[in-house]
Structures are given as C-alpha cells and as structure tokens.
Amino acid sequence: MKLLIPSQCIELTGDVQRVLLLAEQQGFAIGHIELGVSPTPDLQLVGDTTLRLSCNWFPHVQPDADRVLHYGAVTDDCASTAMHDRWIFIGDEHQGYVTDHWQHSDEVRSLLQVTPLEPRDYGRHLAWVLACLSLDFPIEDALVLSRAALNVSRETWPSDYRHFPQPRTQAEFSAFPTLKSASLGVYPVVDDVRWIAQLLPLGISTIQLRIKDPHQADLEQQVMEAIRLGREFGAQVFINDYWQLAVKHGAYGVHLGQEDLQTVDLKMLSDNNLRLGLSTHGYFELLRIHQLAPSYIALGHIFPTTTKQMPSKPQGLVRLALYQRLLDSMPYGDTTGVPSVAIGGIDALNAEHVLACGVTSIAVVRAITEAKDVAVATHRLQQIFALSQASTKERNHVVG
C-alpha cells in the first residue's frame, strides 16, 4: 500500500506517521504502508486499486477525485456544485446542528454530537482519515475514528464511548432485555433444529437457528421445535432472520443482520420482550447499533469463513480487541459493558486467542457441525471457554 501526499501539503506526512505508529502500538502491521509524494495535486492510496482524495483547504481542490473532504459549513456555491455521492462534509452546520455527512449507496450517513473544527484541526483529522484508510478501515470507520481522535491526546487510540460521535440511525429507539454475560458461553449457529436437539443436552446454553432458505417447506415447524427445545432445556435459543415467526411462537430471542433493520418492526420485538442480537462489522455499525440497546452485539467476521457470503473483510484479532474495548465502555441497562459475540471462522485452534480479546462469547459453526465427533468437539470448546473465564477472573482478582 502506498499513500502519496502532494507536495502542497507534505506536512501531513508527519501527522500520518504519528497515527500509524500509534496503530502499530495497538498491534496493527504497518510495514506494508509506504509514504511518498504524489505526482498529482490530490492524495492517492495505491494498492490493488487507486483511491484519489482531495480536500477543500488544498490550494486546488480536485472535484473529480474519488472522494472530496469539505471542512466547515457548506456554502450555497459549494452545495450547488458538489457531487454529493463523492463529497464528505466535515463540520457542516445546518439548522443549528453540526454534523459530518456523506453518501453511502442510497443512504446519507451522518455523525452527530460533533463540533465545528478549527482550521488548525483539519490536518490532524485528515491524517487520521488517511492512516485509517491505509490500514484498510472502510471510510465510515475512518471518519468515526478521526472524530474520536480529536477528543483524546495525540498518544491515545480512542477507546472510550464518551469520545466517539454518534451515527444517525433511521430506526426508532427500542430497548431490549439485557443478558447476563455469563449466560452466553459457547454459541453454536446451526441450520437445522436437529442440531439443537443434539447440542442442548451437551450443556450448550445459547444457540442460534439460522436457516438460509426462506422457502424451506418445514421452516415454521423447525422454528416452533427450536423454541420448544429451548424451553425444555432452559436455553437461550435465538432465531435468525425470521422475526415474525419468532414473535408468533414466543421465541426467546432473534438475531438480525444490518440489512434486516430496514424491514424489521423493532417495536414489535421489544413489546413482545424478545432478546435481540445484532451483527456488526466495524466502528460505525457498532456505534449505530448500540443506540437500539440490543441484548448483545455480534462482532465479525473475525477470520475467513465459507458459511456465509460476507460484504466486509475479515476483522482479525487486533480490530476485535479494539471493538471490545469500546463495548466495555458502553452503557448497558444499569451497568456498563455490552455483551459481545465474536463470530467467523472460530474453532478450537484459535478460540483461546479470540477469547483473550475480552469478548463475552464465541459463535461457532463448522467447528461443531463438521466435527468427526460432535460431543468431543463441543466439550473441547466448552473447556477452552471455561479456562479463559477462569483466567480472566484470576487476573481481575489480582488487579482488584
């Protein structure tokens, strides 16, 4: 990866280097990122593809760049000429509010609870944007981190919820029942109720039924049987996607992805006292989802996985640990620290490393469903989880 900075703002190089060194302290690899001078008036991120960025406080803004960052209030002239699908507005003032906003597909995304930036802050903000993009963060996460970084010292990677902006959410607020973190444990995700019948007697306390085909002939029967088994064993059974059936048959909980939030009736779920788990894939989604007060937040996918087509790249352990630090500072009911479930490519070989990031639970699929001996594989994962919990308690006791 090459980050090329035009000579007109070469002083940005030092600020970007400081952010990258701070990232290295968190565990990110930065050796592959090469800083250089751009042969053009715009910033360039050159990897598998080239991303061109420009900025309105450069001597010559490049309106045809892939992304244009506009700092400060938007003037009428700018608003009439800007290509809103490519422009990112930082500190735009409108009707007494200050927001950062940009176009994402058919959606306008916004960061709230931000302040106008002084010109002296532009370089630091932009340096964080550039460094985060170089580290392969998506643009929404780069913008979130850049704002949070302005609320902490230059030597600190943002991790406290109070320092982060709040993404605007289109969904109405709905608080869901809280969970005891200790109740989650090893969390299998299975595609047939027969797995639930097999795993609950082995001591599994949380499980998810994820049937991908909405036209499956026995779909409703499987949902009903999963709910019945959950009640029989006193287990936390979550139904993936089919929230109407979950409400109809009185399920314990529902798990939904980001795309489901466009169609789900969250108030109906909340009114029926269903627990809600929501998938996230980065800082922006994590912060936006938290506003709905779900029962737990899933973080993924951690490692490459073949069980589901994923729009995002594997997060890895470094990002997972950073997300968990943020989750640990978030309000959750009357306490602090939202329960988390790490998911994606987790098995007995890497589970210990995942749990060391501080997550509440690990979701597993192939580690159980493709095991030669399901009972042995399940008990092995439960043993790894129990040892991790004991180690965490021991460390907390020593610190306390």
Side-chain angles (χ1 to χ4, degrees), residues 12 15-16 19 55 57 69-71 88-91 99-102 111 114-133 139-151 154 165:
L12 272 173
D15 290 333
V16 172
V19 179
C55 179
W57 54 274
L69 279 78
H70 183 283
Y71 286 90
I88 300 169
F89 300 97
I90 308 297
T99 68
D100 299 346
H101 57 92
W102 65 97
L111 299 181
V114 296
T115 58
L117 295 185
E118 298 294 332
R120 64 175 180 271
D121 296 320
Y122 294 171
R124 186 179 174 197
H125 181 277
L126 181 55
W128 268 86
V129 171
L130 295 173
C132 289
L133 291 176
I139 187 65
E140 59 265 27
D141 285 2
L143 293 169
V144 163
L145 279 167
S146 301
R147 269 296 183 174
L150 297 179
N151 296 322
R154 289 180 180 271

Coordinates of all heavy atoms in Angstrom, one line a residue, residues 12 15-16 19 55 57 69-71 88-91 99-102 111 114-133 139-151 154 165:
L12 N 1.5 16.9 6.1 CA 0.6 15.9 6.6 C 1.4 14.6 6.8 O 1.0 13.7 7.6 CB -0.4 15.6 5.5 CG -1.7 16.4 5.6 CD1 -2.6 16.1 4.4 CD2 -2.5 16.1 6.9
D15 N 2.1 13.9 10.5 CA 0.9 13.5 11.2 C 0.5 12.1 10.9 O 0.0 11.4 11.8 CB -0.2 14.5 10.9 CG 0.1 15.9 11.5 OD1 0.8 16.0 12.5 OD2 -0.4 16.9 10.9
V16 N 0.5 11.7 9.7 CA 0.1 10.4 9.3 C 1.1 9.3 10.0 O 0.6 8.3 10.5 CB 0.1 10.2 7.8 CG1 -0.1 8.7 7.4 CG2 -1.0 11.0 7.2
V19 N 0.1 8.7 13.5 CA -1.1 7.9 13.7 C -0.7 6.4 13.4 O -1.1 5.5 14.1 CB -2.2 8.3 12.8 CG1 -3.4 7.4 12.9 CG2 -2.6 9.8 13.1
C55 N -9.3 17.8 -1.0 CA -9.7 18.5 0.2 C -9.9 20.0 -0.1 O -9.2 20.5 -0.9 CB -8.7 18.3 1.3 SG -9.2 19.1 2.9
W57 N -9.4 22.5 1.6 CA -8.4 23.5 2.1 C -7.0 23.3 1.4 O -6.0 24.0 1.7 CB -8.2 23.5 3.6 CG -8.0 22.2 4.3 CD1 -8.9 21.3 4.7 CD2 -6.7 21.7 4.6 NE1 -8.2 20.2 5.3 CE2 -6.9 20.5 5.3 CE3 -5.4 22.1 4.5 CZ2 -5.9 19.7 5.8 CZ3 -4.3 21.4 5.0 CH2 -4.6 20.1 5.6
L69 N -13.1 15.8 0.6 CA -13.4 16.2 2.0 C -13.6 17.7 2.1 O -12.7 18.4 1.7 CB -12.4 15.7 3.0 CG -12.4 14.3 3.4 CD1 -11.8 13.3 2.4 CD2 -11.7 14.1 4.8
H70 N -14.8 18.1 2.5 CA -15.1 19.5 2.6 C -15.2 19.9 4.1 O -16.0 19.4 4.8 CB -16.4 19.9 1.9 CG -16.7 21.3 2.0 ND1 -17.2 22.0 3.1 CD2 -16.5 22.3 1.0 CE1 -17.3 23.3 2.8 NE2 -16.9 23.5 1.6
Y71 N -14.2 20.7 4.6 CA -14.2 21.1 6.0 C -15.0 22.4 6.2 O -14.8 23.4 5.4 CB -12.8 21.2 6.5 CG -12.1 19.9 6.7 CD1 -11.4 19.3 5.7 CD2 -12.2 19.2 7.9 CE1 -10.7 18.1 5.9 CE2 -11.6 18.0 8.1 CZ -10.8 17.4 7.1 OH -10.2 16.2 7.3
I88 N -17.6 14.4 1.1 CA -17.7 14.2 2.5 C -17.7 15.5 3.2 O -16.7 16.2 3.1 CB -16.6 13.2 3.1 CG1 -16.7 11.9 2.4 CG2 -16.8 13.0 4.6 CD1 -15.5 11.0 2.6
F89 N -18.7 15.9 4.0 CA -18.8 17.2 4.6 C -18.4 17.0 6.1 O -19.1 16.3 6.8 CB -20.2 17.8 4.4 CG -20.5 18.0 2.9 CD1 -21.2 17.0 2.3 CD2 -20.0 19.0 2.2 CE1 -21.5 17.2 0.9 CE2 -20.3 19.2 0.9 CZ -21.1 18.3 0.2
I90 N -17.4 17.7 6.5 CA -16.9 17.6 7.9 C -17.2 18.9 8.6 O -16.7 20.0 8.3 CB -15.4 17.3 7.9 CG1 -15.0 16.1 7.1 CG2 -14.9 17.2 9.4 CD1 -15.6 14.8 7.5
G91 N -18.1 18.8 9.6 CA -18.4 20.0 10.4 C -19.4 20.9 9.7 O -19.3 22.2 9.8
T99 N -22.8 18.5 11.8 CA -22.7 17.1 11.5 C -21.6 16.8 10.5 O -21.1 17.8 9.8 CB -24.0 16.5 10.9 OG1 -24.2 17.1 9.6 CG2 -25.2 16.8 11.7
D100 N -21.1 15.6 10.5 CA -20.3 15.1 9.4 C -21.3 14.2 8.6 O -21.9 13.3 9.2 CB -19.1 14.3 9.9 CG -18.2 15.1 10.7 OD1 -18.3 16.3 10.7 OD2 -17.3 14.5 11.4
H101 N -21.3 14.4 7.3 CA -22.2 13.5 6.5 C -21.7 13.2 5.1 O -20.9 14.0 4.6 CB -23.6 14.2 6.4 CG -23.7 15.5 5.8 ND1 -23.9 15.8 4.5 CD2 -23.6 16.8 6.4 CE1 -23.9 17.1 4.2 NE2 -23.7 17.7 5.4
W102 N -22.1 12.1 4.6 CA -21.6 11.6 3.3 C -22.7 10.7 2.7 O -23.5 10.2 3.4 CB -20.3 11.0 3.4 CG -20.3 9.7 4.2 CD1 -20.3 8.4 3.8 CD2 -20.2 9.6 5.7 NE1 -20.3 7.6 4.8 CE2 -20.3 8.3 6.0 CE3 -20.2 10.6 6.7 CZ2 -20.2 7.8 7.3 CZ3 -20.1 10.1 8.0 CH2 -20.2 8.8 8.3
L111 N -22.7 11.7 11.2 CA -22.2 11.6 12.6 C -22.7 12.8 13.3 O -22.5 14.0 12.9 CB -20.7 11.6 12.6 CG -20.0 10.4 11.8 CD1 -18.5 10.6 12.0 CD2 -20.5 9.1 12.4
V114 N -20.9 16.2 17.1 CA -19.6 16.7 16.7 C -19.6 18.2 16.8 O -20.6 18.8 16.9 CB -19.3 16.2 15.2 CG1 -19.2 14.7 15.1 CG2 -20.3 16.7 14.2
T115 N -18.4 18.8 16.7 CA -18.3 20.2 16.9 C -17.6 20.8 15.6 O -16.9 20.1 14.9 CB -17.4 20.5 18.1 OG1 -16.1 19.9 17.9 CG2 -18.0 20.0 19.4
P116 N -17.8 22.1 15.4 CA -17.1 22.7 14.3 C -15.6 22.6 14.5 O -15.1 22.7 15.6 CB -17.5 24.2 14.3 CG -18.8 24.2 15.1 CD -18.6 23.1 16.1
L117 N -14.8 22.4 13.4 CA -13.4 22.2 13.6 C -12.7 23.6 13.3 O -13.1 24.3 12.3 CB -12.8 21.2 12.6 CG -13.3 19.7 12.9 CD1 -12.5 18.8 11.9 CD2 -13.0 19.3 14.3
E118 N -11.7 23.9 14.0 CA -10.8 25.0 13.7 C -9.9 24.6 12.6 O -9.5 23.4 12.5 CB -10.0 25.4 15.0 CG -10.9 25.9 16.1 CD -11.6 27.2 15.8 OE1 -11.1 28.0 15.0 OE2 -12.7 27.4 16.4
P119 N -9.5 25.5 11.8 CA -8.5 25.2 10.7 C -7.3 24.4 11.2 O -6.8 23.5 10.5 CB -8.2 26.5 10.1 CG -9.4 27.3 10.3 CD -9.9 26.9 11.7
R120 N -6.9 24.7 12.4 CA -5.7 24.0 12.9 C -5.9 22.5 13.2 O -5.0 21.7 13.3 CB -5.2 24.7 14.2 CG -6.2 24.6 15.4 CD -5.7 25.1 16.7 NE -6.6 25.0 17.8 CZ -7.5 25.9 18.1 NH1 -7.6 27.0 17.4 NH2 -8.3 25.7 19.1
D121 N -7.2 22.1 13.2 CA -7.5 20.7 13.5 C -7.7 19.9 12.2 O -7.8 18.7 12.2 CB -8.8 20.6 14.3 CG -8.7 21.2 15.7 OD1 -7.6 21.0 16.3 OD2 -9.6 21.8 16.1
Y122 N -7.8 20.6 11.0 CA -8.1 19.9 9.8 C -7.0 18.9 9.5 O -7.3 17.8 9.1 CB -8.1 20.9 8.6 CG -9.3 21.9 8.6 CD1 -9.3 23.0 7.7 CD2 -10.3 21.8 9.6 CE1 -10.4 23.9 7.8 CE2 -11.4 22.7 9.6 CZ -11.4 23.7 8.7 OH -12.4 24.7 8.7
G123 N -5.7 19.3 9.6 CA -4.6 18.4 9.3 C -4.6 17.1 10.2 O -4.4 16.0 9.6
R124 N -4.9 17.3 11.4 CA -4.9 16.1 12.3 C -6.1 15.2 12.0 O -5.9 13.9 11.9 CB -5.0 16.5 13.8 CG -4.9 15.4 14.8 CD -5.0 15.9 16.2 NE -5.0 14.8 17.1 CZ -5.4 14.9 18.4 NH1 -5.8 16.1 18.9 NH2 -5.5 13.8 19.2
H125 N -7.2 15.8 11.7 CA -8.4 14.9 11.3 C -8.1 14.2 10.0 O -8.3 13.0 9.9 CB -9.6 15.8 11.1 CG -10.9 15.1 10.8 ND1 -11.2 14.8 9.5 CD2 -11.9 14.6 11.5 CE1 -12.3 14.1 9.4 NE2 -12.8 14.0 10.7
L126 N -7.6 14.9 9.0 CA -7.3 14.3 7.7 C -6.2 13.2 7.8 O -6.3 12.2 7.2 CB -6.9 15.4 6.7 CG -6.6 14.9 5.3 CD1 -7.8 14.1 4.7 CD2 -6.2 16.0 4.4
A127 N -5.2 13.5 8.7 CA -4.2 12.5 8.9 C -4.8 11.2 9.4 O -4.3 10.1 9.0 CB -3.1 13.0 9.9
W128 N -5.7 11.2 10.3 CA -6.4 10.0 10.9 C -7.2 9.3 9.8 O -7.2 8.1 9.6 CB -7.3 10.4 12.1 CG -6.5 10.3 13.4 CD1 -5.8 11.2 14.0 CD2 -6.5 9.1 14.2 NE1 -5.2 10.7 15.1 CE2 -5.7 9.4 15.3 CE3 -7.1 7.8 14.1 CZ2 -5.4 8.5 16.3 CZ3 -6.8 6.9 15.2 CH2 -6.0 7.3 16.2
V129 N -7.9 10.1 9.0 CA -8.6 9.5 7.8 C -7.7 8.8 6.9 O -7.9 7.6 6.6 CB -9.4 10.6 7.0 CG1 -10.0 10.0 5.8 CG2 -10.5 11.3 7.9
L130 N -6.6 9.4 6.6 CA -5.6 8.7 5.6 C -5.0 7.5 6.3 O -4.9 6.5 5.6 CB -4.6 9.7 5.2 CG -5.0 11.0 4.4 CD1 -3.9 12.0 4.2 CD2 -5.6 10.5 3.1
A131 N -4.6 7.6 7.5 CA -3.9 6.5 8.2 C -4.9 5.3 8.3 O -4.6 4.2 8.0 CB -3.4 6.9 9.5
C132 N -6.2 5.6 8.7 CA -7.2 4.5 8.8 C -7.5 3.9 7.5 O -7.6 2.6 7.4 CB -8.4 5.1 9.4 SG -8.3 5.5 11.2
L133 N -7.6 4.7 6.4 CA -7.8 4.1 5.1 C -6.6 3.2 4.7 O -6.8 2.2 4.1 CB -8.0 5.2 4.1 CG -9.4 6.0 4.2 CD1 -9.4 7.1 3.2 CD2 -10.6 5.1 4.0
I139 N -14.4 3.7 4.9 CA -14.5 5.2 5.1 C -15.3 5.6 6.3 O -14.9 6.5 7.0 CB -15.0 5.9 3.8 CG1 -14.9 7.4 3.9 CG2 -16.4 5.5 3.5 CD1 -13.5 7.9 4.0
E140 N -16.4 4.9 6.6 CA -17.2 5.3 7.7 C -16.5 5.1 9.0 O -16.6 5.9 10.0 CB -18.5 4.5 7.7 CG -18.4 3.0 7.8 CD -18.5 2.4 6.4 OE1 -18.1 3.0 5.4 OE2 -18.9 1.2 6.3
D141 N -15.7 4.0 9.1 CA -14.9 3.8 10.3 C -13.7 4.8 10.4 O -13.4 5.3 11.5 CB -14.3 2.4 10.4 CG -15.4 1.4 10.7 OD1 -16.6 1.7 10.9 OD2 -15.1 0.2 10.8
A142 N -13.1 5.2 9.3 CA -12.1 6.2 9.3 C -12.6 7.5 9.8 O -12.0 8.2 10.6 CB -11.5 6.3 7.9
L143 N -13.8 7.9 9.4 CA -14.4 9.1 9.8 C -14.8 9.1 11.3 O -14.6 10.1 12.0 CB -15.7 9.4 9.0 CG -15.4 9.7 7.5 CD1 -16.6 9.7 6.7 CD2 -14.6 11.0 7.3
V144 N -15.3 8.0 11.8 CA -15.6 7.8 13.2 C -14.4 8.0 14.1 O -14.3 8.7 15.0 CB -16.3 6.5 13.5 CG1 -16.3 6.1 14.9 CG2 -17.8 6.5 12.9
L145 N -13.3 7.2 13.7 CA -12.1 7.3 14.5 C -11.4 8.7 14.4 O -10.9 9.1 15.4 CB -11.1 6.2 14.0 CG -11.4 4.8 14.4 CD1 -10.6 3.8 13.6 CD2 -11.0 4.7 15.9
S146 N -11.5 9.3 13.3 CA -10.9 10.6 13.1 C -11.5 11.6 14.1 O -10.9 12.5 14.7 CB -11.0 11.1 11.7 OG -10.3 10.2 10.8
R147 N -12.9 11.6 14.2 CA -13.6 12.5 15.1 C -13.2 12.1 16.6 O -12.9 13.0 17.4 CB -15.1 12.3 14.9 CG -15.6 13.3 13.9 CD -15.5 14.7 14.4 NE -16.1 15.7 13.5 CZ -16.2 17.0 13.7 NH1 -15.7 17.5 14.8 NH2 -16.7 17.8 12.8
A148 N -13.2 10.8 16.9 CA -12.9 10.4 18.3 C -11.5 10.8 18.7 O -11.2 11.2 19.8 CB -13.1 8.9 18.5
A149 N -10.6 10.8 17.7 CA -9.1 11.1 18.0 C -8.9 12.5 18.4 O -8.0 12.8 19.1 CB -8.3 10.7 16.7
L150 N -9.8 13.4 17.9 CA -9.7 14.8 18.3 C -10.1 15.1 19.8 O -9.9 16.1 20.3 CB -10.6 15.7 17.4 CG -10.2 15.6 15.9 CD1 -11.1 16.5 15.1 CD2 -8.8 16.1 15.7
N151 N -10.7 14.1 20.4 CA -11.2 14.2 21.8 C -10.2 13.6 22.8 O -10.5 13.5 24.0 CB -12.6 13.6 21.9 CG -13.6 14.3 21.1 OD1 -13.6 15.5 21.0 ND2 -14.6 13.6 20.5
R154 N -2.8 13.1 21.5 CA -2.2 12.6 20.3 C -1.6 11.2 20.5 O -1.3 10.5 19.5 CB -1.1 13.5 19.8 CG -1.7 14.8 19.2 CD -0.6 15.7 18.8 NE -1.1 17.0 18.2 CZ -1.4 17.2 16.9 NH1 -1.2 16.2 16.1 NH2 -1.8 18.3 16.5
P165 N -18.3 10.0 18.2 CA -19.6 10.6 17.7 C -20.6 9.6 17.6 O -20.4 8.4 17.7 CB -19.1 11.1 16.3 CG -18.1 10.1 15.9 CD -17.3 9.8 17.2

